[in-house]
């Protein structure tokens, strides 16, 4: 049997960084994201083939990426047959976007259906979390919360759709400043941060307050309050990483941050966030996006304007 699924990446407004359980991939903090439109991962799973095979963007994959995918399929069904997985991103991985989020959300959905199962979106979210934490938020469009959860088995740590995509028509501008490969992936970066950063306990204990503020701001469509909570979360996360010796920022990252602050001082509503990479994502109202990209282009950033995307789905 075969099935094809599409999922969008998401950007965390309030960040996930740190794990309370490594094998189950349970987060130390809750996080909150917005799903992006336009960018997609499309994944086909053939359940039953002569041998396991993975293709990403038409290129056969071996080694770690393939192992990660086929270990994940073992979670979909422990007595599975060999499978073929073909996955395509319509966006450059170099954009510093969480491609693992849309990848594992699409893979979980396609593999579940190809294997003749019918997990609920919540069960698919729990499953995709095992592949990559941020993937559990990409099952839904719009505004999604990922609860830390309290159960040891992780069944209460999954995405939860808070508001549908049409709740609020914001824009996320991707400002690409560097296509250089990041020095360390998020999984390893998180574990090093937990081990080494003296700021880590403060990062964990202050997360709930950011979630509450962001959630309330989204409910009343208050971009200033949401932007402030988002910047606080990203600055705290990066400060914690940096104190562990992990720095993803480049000089160009800081240049974009300064430009965003200058725009804000001039009355243009723009707020920044950065993930485990040097590129910056900027949150703004739809009507301000063109003026903001113009000012970012002036300092040499390549930009792309995205809106709010929908649910992961079978095609
Ligand atoms: C900075 O979900 O890629 O983008 O669970 O180890 O696969 P693993 O990590 P991943 O980490 C994403 C970290 C982040 C923040 C976020 O998306 O919340």
């Amino acid at each position: 049997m075969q099935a094809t699924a599409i999922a969008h990446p998401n950007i965390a407004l309030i960040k996930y960084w740190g794990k309370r359980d490594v094998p189950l991939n349970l987060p130390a903090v809750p996080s909150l994201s917005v799903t992006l439109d336009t960018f997609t991962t499309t994944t086909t799973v053939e359940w039953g083939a002569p041998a396991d095979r993975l293709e990403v963007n038409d290129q056969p994959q071996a080694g770690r990426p393939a192992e990660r995918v086929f270990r994940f399929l073992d979670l979909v069904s422990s007595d599975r047959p060999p499978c073929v997985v073909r996955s395509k991103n319509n966006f450059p991985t170099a954009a510093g976007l969480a491609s693992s989020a849309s990848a594992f959300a699409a893979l979980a959905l396609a593999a579940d259906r190809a294997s003749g199962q019918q997990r609920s979106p919540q069960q698919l979210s729990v499953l995709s979390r095992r592949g990559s934490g941020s993937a559990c938020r990409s099952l839904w469009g719009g505004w999604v919360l990922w609860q830390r959860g309290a159960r040891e088995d992780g069944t209460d740590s999954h995405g939860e759709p808070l508001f549908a995509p049409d709740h609020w028509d914001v824009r996320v501008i991707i400002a690409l400043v560097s296509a250089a490969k990041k020095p360390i992936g998020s999984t390893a970066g998180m574990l090093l941060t937990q081990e080494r950063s003296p700021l880590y306990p403060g990062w964990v204990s202050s997360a709930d307050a950011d979630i509450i503020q962001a959630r309330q701001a989204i409910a009343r469509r208050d971009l200033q309050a949401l932007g402030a909570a988002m910047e606080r979360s990203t600055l705290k996360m990066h400060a914690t990483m940096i104190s562990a010796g992990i720095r993803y920022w480049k000089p160009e990252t800081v240049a974009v941050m300064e430009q965003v602050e200058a725009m804000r001082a001039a009355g243009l509503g723009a707020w920044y966030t950065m993930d485990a990479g040097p590129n910056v994502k900027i949150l703004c109202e739809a009507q301000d996006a063109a003026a903001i990209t113009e000012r970012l282009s002036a300092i040499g950033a390549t930009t792309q304007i995205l809106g709010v995307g929908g649910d992961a789905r079978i095609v």
Side-chain angles (χ1 to χ4, degrees):
M1 274 222 288
Q2 110 171 22
T4 299
I6 286 190
H8 298 280
N10 69 79
I11 294 294
L13 309 165
I14 306 301
K15 303 293 186 191
Y16 150 52
W17 196 257
K19 299 179 196 274
R20 69 178 169 86
D21 183 299
V22 175
L24 287 177
N25 210 23
L26 294 171
V29 291
S31 55
L32 202 165
S33 61
V34 63
T35 301
L36 302 176
D37 68 4
T38 311
F39 287 180
T40 54
T41 298
T42 306
T43 299
T44 300
V45 175
E46 261 177 59
W47 199 262
D52 277 344
R53 191 153 57 82
L54 171 66
E55 274 173 28
V56 177
N57 295 332
D58 297 321
Q59 301 298 317
Q61 306 286 317
R64 286 277 287 283
E67 258 168 50
R68 198 171 164 195
V69 163
F70 294 114
R71 266 210 320 267
F72 181 78
L73 291 187
D74 296 340
L75 300 173
V76 177
S77 177
S78 55
D79 61 349
R80 70 173 178 89
C83 297
V84 177
V85 175
R86 287 188 202 89
S87 192
K88 273 189 189 177
N89 292 328
N90 73 349
F91 56 94
T93 325
L97 275 165
S99 56
S100 66
S102 48
F104 280 98
L107 181 63
L109 179 56
D112 178 77
R113 297 305 192 263
S115 63
Q117 303 180 70
Q118 279 289 336
R119 287 178 176 85
S120 68
Q122 184 172 311
Q123 288 169 326
L124 288 170
S125 178
V126 167
L127 174 66
S128 60
R129 188 201 71 223
R130 302 280 303 271
S132 184
S134 51
C136 81
R137 301 183 306 235
S138 270
L139 267 301
W140 295 276
W143 308 81
V144 182
L145 173 69
W146 174 17
Q147 298 140 341
R148 180 196 290 116
R151 285 193 212 134
E152 268 181 34
D153 67 1
T155 49
D156 59 348
S157 185
H158 51 75
E160 176 189 331
L162 293 180
F163 300 98
D166 64 359
H167 168 72
W168 195 8
D169 188 29
V170 298
R171 294 292 179 271
V172 175
I173 301 170
I174 312 292
L176 190 68
V177 298
S178 162
K181 203 172 143 39
K182 49 187 178 185
I184 179 167
S186 13
T187 307
M190 282 185 209
L191 299 181
L192 274 180
T193 306
Q194 299 182 211
E195 205 179 290
R196 293 187 186 164
S197 171
L199 309 184
Y200 185 71
W203 158 251
V204 172
S205 65
S206 64
D208 283 332
D210 294 337
I211 293 282
I212 292 169
Q213 186 180 340
R215 197 175 170 161
Q216 289 172 349
I218 297 165
R220 56 174 202 272
R221 301 184 189 86
D222 180 343
L223 200 65
Q224 192 165 348
L226 178 60
M230 181 182 85
E231 283 192 358
R232 196 169 55 241
S233 175
T234 203
L235 289 171
K236 276 193 295 186
M237 177 181 78
H238 284 276
T240 308
M241 295 166 169
I242 288 168
S243 67
I246 304 161
R247 179 175 53 79
Y248 291 104
W249 296 359
K250 298 278 175 206
E252 297 86 345
T253 311
V254 178
V256 172
M257 291 163 71
E258 286 193 341
Q259 185 68 8
V260 168
E261 286 160 6
M263 286 190 247
R264 223 155 54 220
L268 203 51
W271 288 267
Y272 56 72
T273 185
M274 290 77 66
D275 291 302
N279 299 310
V280 185
K281 292 100 189 180
I282 293 135
L283 182 68
C284 66
E285 299 279 6
Q287 73 266 16
D288 293 332
I292 293 168
T293 50
E294 206 172 296
R295 293 189 57 166
L296 293 170
S297 305
I299 59 161
T302 308
T303 57
Q304 184 158 1
I305 304 172
L306 303 173
V308 182
D311 294 351
R313 55 206 178 267
I314 288 286
V315 287

